[in-house]
Amino acid sequence: MKTVFDGFGTAKKRVILVLSGIIAALPFCFSRLYILSWLFFGVLYTFIFAQKNGRVTTGSLFCFFYPFYAVLYSWFVNLYPLDFAGLGAFASVLVIIAALTLIPLIHSAVMAFSFLLCAFLTKPKNSVVSSLVFAFSYVFGELLQSVGSFAFPWGRLFVAQTQRLEIIQSASLFGSYFITFLIILVNALAANALFIKSGIKVRVFYGAAALLLFVSNFAYGALKLSDGYDTDGEITVCALQINMSSEQKWQSGMTDEALSRFEQLCEKAVNERDRRGQSKIDLFVTPETSFPITLYSGDDLYSENAKKVDAELKDTAKKYDADVIAGAFYRDNGAYYNSLYLYGRDSSCSDVYNKQHLVPFGEFLPYRTALETVFGTAADLNLFGEDLTAGKMPETAPQTSNGIKFAGLVCFDSVFPSLCSKQVKNGAKLVIVSTNDSWYKTSAALDQHLKHSVMRAVENGVSVVRSANTGISALITPDGRIVKSLGANKYGSITATLPISSGTTLYSRTGDIIDESIRQAELQFMDLPVDKALVDSFIETIDTFMRSQKSIVGYSVDLDYDEDLVNEFSQGHIPLV
């Protein structure tokens, strides 16, 4: 296919790709520029699927995606200094430079692998198929970013679209990966109209198709927002923003200060409601580890400090006839959890939810033995001195004293759609997001993280209560509207009466169809005995793919004998190098 870029030299083409990647990332930092996400991925499509030789090139992919992710994650500079992690100025600079270099590099490599693999398997021959493969490749790349110990699906495309809630309402049908698929497909169709040289009728067809998809999705969202949602009661919730910086929070003796702020905020919120003659508060929610101690070890209180905090939480629940969801640590049989505790108005501690998806290098050290061998101080990056344990999906949703079941999500949990949808499928009618984003200070990361909570509301058709240590706290309705919020570095609380949705969305009933379809395709490799035949099959598959890439030379594929193969095989892993 001929394109408008055919007369450009290699250097000029790469400059165009780099600039397009940067522009495509701007909506993640400036949400009002959301429309750019629907246009500039089309430049990438033109360069990788409209090549004269039909080959998808690794260079084009990296030229686009590396600057894209570098801009998206530019907020890492705001983490300096990392004194809350026990690192000095020089070490902080090195870690931040490493993060700004390696994370975009890894995510670019994941995307490159996804596009190359999909193109290799499908070998698209026409523009329609190429457009679909382009969209599917991006979705698959996003899915790959959510898998494994280093999973970090932070920069999902929908994050740049919540400025206009109409655009994301279709996630209630097919999930947030559908929004990605739609955005990238529109980009590809628009590129066929704008950048591919063909007859006027063909270009008009592709342009009309792109416009029709965008307008149809927007119209559906507008209609859904105007129709509202069916409710089955309501709950008055208060999200507390204790506002203790990362530097303060982990200092010795800060538990009393956290308790004092908790008491003051609860009392002020209740008095304000009374003064205005408004309904009483049913539920208080505190941020992640708002009390930076271990509360319980099994069924027993862990320390004298824990007894003091436990007594205050029970007294508050009884005094204001309200439930309290509090963040603290929990130990059980040698495991160490980042948890949410539910205190009922009958002065009982009835449920504990344990964070399911831990932050690598913050709450646990992946591949600890290998990393400590190479980097002796790697363990210093673990904020809590020892690895936390990932919790398991609750079999039943915990419920408040007035019978409302809720889904618990702690910080990083909220960026993984299935952790929420599975709890909603188990009966949850309200989502609690308890987080500590103080590390991000006032950077774009605060808003990016918040938008994952907005998407969880839309996908599942439930209200979301988001309590953040230093912001942004928010109360969100089932259609994604933020009815109240409290910005960064503010001390206070927000209270509102949120609807309890009586219905369910198609997504909450079926789960993520795209995600589940890909994961089901992987099941052919599950529960197979790890023997020489299976290992050889994996090696041959990768070797065949590598041979197809003419620009890659001097490679080898083999079993990684430096790993503990007995342990890896027992977990169903096949480590290759």
Side-chain angles (χ1 to χ4, degrees):
M1 290 182 281
K2 295 181 179 181
T3 77
V4 297
F5 304 114
D6 284 347
F8 294 9
T10 301
K12 195 171 184 178
K13 288 181 178 180
R14 290 185 175 178
V15 169
I16 292 172
L17 281 168
V18 168
L19 291 175
S20 298
I22 291 172
I23 294 171
L26 290 179
F28 289 88
C29 304
F30 307 100
S31 56
R32 292 185 179 181
L33 300 178
Y34 67 92
I35 197 66
L36 297 179
S37 297
W38 295 83
L39 298 170
F40 280 86
F41 290 95
V43 176
L44 176 65
Y45 168 84
T46 305
F47 276 98
I48 67 173
F49 278 108
Q51 299 288 323
K52 289 182 179 179
N53 57 12
R55 286 197 298 114
V56 177
T57 63
T58 308
S60 295
L61 290 163
F62 271 91
C63 281
F64 181 91
F65 280 115
Y66 190 84
F68 172 78
Y69 284 114
V71 172
L72 198 162
Y73 295 128
S74 59
W75 48 262
F76 268 99
V77 299
N78 292 78
L79 272 62
Y80 179 86
L82 299 173
D83 46 7
F84 54 82
L87 299 179
F90 182 68
S92 296
V93 170
L94 290 180
V95 169
I96 290 171
I97 291 175
L100 280 171
T101 303
L102 293 176
I103 293 178
L105 184 63
I106 292 169
H107 279 197
S108 299
V110 168
M111 281 298 182
F113 171 78
S114 176
F115 278 86
L116 291 167
L117 180 62
C118 291
F120 170 72
L121 294 176
T122 58
K123 295 181 175 60
K125 297 297 184 182
N126 59 65
S127 296
V128 173
V129 176
S130 294
S131 299
L132 292 170
V133 171
F134 184 66
F136 181 80
S137 299
Y138 200 105
V139 172
F140 186 51
E142 282 196 343
L143 278 166
L144 291 177
Q145 291 175 10
S146 69
V147 175
S149 299
F150 294 102
F152 191 61
W154 186 276
R156 300 279 311 285
L157 281 190
F158 74 80
V159 170
Q161 301 301 307
T162 57
Q163 175 74 12
R164 295 307 303 254
L165 291 175
E166 296 92 341
I167 291 174
I168 65 170
Q169 294 303 309
S170 53
S172 64
L173 299 174
F174 308 116
S176 55
Y177 288 107
F178 176 71
I179 304 299
T180 297
F181 185 84
L182 192 64
I183 292 171
I184 300 301
L185 182 57
V186 167
N187 270 275
L189 294 172
N192 279 295
L194 297 173
F195 305 134
I196 309 297
K197 292 181 178 180
S198 57
I200 186 65
K201 290 183 179 180
V202 174
R203 298 179 81 168
V204 168
F205 168 78
Y206 282 114
L211 186 61
L212 179 62
L213 277 177
F214 179 83
V215 171
S216 299
N217 182 66
F218 196 94
Y220 170 80
L223 183 63
K224 189 172 185 296
L225 286 171
S226 65
D227 282 350
Y229 37 81
D230 297 327
T231 62
D232 186 21
E234 56 189 24
I235 182 170
T236 301
V237 296
C238 177
L240 308 179
Q241 191 162 299
I242 292 176
N243 199 40
M244 293 176 68
S245 69
S246 302
E247 293 78 7
Q248 290 177 300
K249 185 171 181 178
W250 307 109
Q251 291 176 3
S252 176
M254 291 307 294
T255 303
D256 288 340
E257 176 64 21
L259 264 181
S260 175
R261 296 188 186 193
F262 168 76
E263 294 168 5
Q264 291 171 12
L265 289 176
C266 289
E267 183 177 12
K268 184 178 179 180
V270 169
N271 290 342
E272 183 69 16
R273 300 286 293 184
D274 289 344
R275 184 178 67 80
R276 295 182 177 182
Q278 297 172 320
S279 59
K280 78 174 192 68
I281 294 172
D282 299 307
L283 176 65
F284 292 98
V285 180
T286 80
E288 176 188 15
T289 57
S290 50
F291 303 104
I293 60 169
T294 299
L295 264 184
Y296 276 81
S297 178
D299 295 328
D300 301 318
L301 287 164
Y302 189 69
S303 64
E304 290 302 316
N305 254 352
K307 291 178 181 178
K308 186 191 304 183
V309 172
D310 181 73
E312 177 57 36
L313 292 170
K314 289 176 177 176
D315 288 347
T316 298
K318 184 176 182 180
K319 179 179 179 181
Y320 299 122
D321 190 30
D323 296 312
V324 177
I325 295 177
F329 295 108
Y330 174 65
R331 291 181 183 272
D332 187 39
N333 295 323
Y336 186 29
Y337 300 100
N338 184 349
S339 306
L340 294 178
Y341 292 81
L342 173 62
Y343 283 83
R345 55 194 69 181
D346 60 352
S347 295
S348 65
C349 180
S350 58
D351 274 296
V352 178
Y353 168 83
N354 300 318
K355 184 174 183 176
Q356 295 184 63
H357 213 293
L358 304 176
V359 179
F361 300 103
E363 295 173 313
F364 79 106
L365 191 64
Y367 309 108
R368 173 176 288 278
T369 302
L371 287 176
E372 287 185 334
T373 300
V374 179
F375 306 104
T377 59
D380 293 340
L381 294 177
N382 189 341
L383 297 176
F384 308 114
E386 62 179 290
D387 288 345
L388 296 182
T389 306
K392 296 180 179 179
M393 178 65 64
E395 293 183 6
T396 57
Q399 63 182 30
T400 63
S401 297
N402 53 355
I404 297 174
K405 294 182 178 180
F406 68 87
L409 299 173
V410 178
C411 194
F412 201 40
D413 283 347
S414 65
V415 308
F416 294 90
S418 63
L419 298 187
C420 182
S421 63
K422 288 178 181 177
Q423 294 184 71
V424 171
K425 200 170 184 179
N426 285 342
K429 293 292 185 179
L430 179 72
V431 173
I432 305 297
V433 177
S434 179
T435 185
N436 175 27
D437 290 346
S438 59
W439 339 96
Y440 308 137
K441 298 173 185 176
T442 57
S443 70
L446 292 179
D447 191 51
Q448 291 171 8
H449 196 190
L450 169 64
K451 287 172 179 176
H452 284 272
S453 293
V454 171
M455 178 54 79
R456 299 295 86 83
V458 173
E459 285 174 329
N460 298 284
V462 294
S463 295
V464 174
V465 182
R466 189 178 197 270
S467 175
N469 179 22
T470 58
I472 303 168
S473 295
L475 303 177
I476 307 168
T477 59
D479 55 10
R481 289 187 175 98
I482 298 176
V483 295
K484 278 190 179 181
S485 64
L486 190 58
N489 297 329
K490 293 182 179 179
Y491 170 69
S493 65
I494 48 175
T495 305
T497 299
L498 294 177
I500 299 300
S501 179
S502 61
T504 57
T505 65
L506 177 63
Y507 171 80
S508 65
R509 293 194 298 272
T510 63
D512 205 312
I513 296 174
I514 298 175
D515 184 8
E516 290 300 322
S517 296
I518 292 175
R519 294 182 192 279
Q520 285 296 320
E522 297 170 351
L523 290 180
Q524 59 181 307
F525 299 110
M526 303 293 285
D527 299 324
L528 292 176
V530 181
D531 54 18
K532 187 176 185 302
L534 185 61
V535 172
D536 289 345
S537 173
F538 268 88
I539 291 175
E540 178 60 27
T541 299
I542 296 172
D543 190 54
T544 300
F545 170 71
M546 296 295 285
R547 285 199 304 271
S548 72
Q549 306 304 306
K550 305 301 183 184
S551 59
I552 301 177
V553 295
Y555 69 89
S556 64
V557 185
D558 201 355
L559 198 60
D560 188 354
Y561 292 97
D562 290 336
E563 293 286 346
D564 182 349
L565 295 180
V566 173
N567 180 57
E568 293 295 325
F569 288 167
S570 68
Q571 299 179 57
H573 300 162
I574 300 179
L576 301 178
V577 65

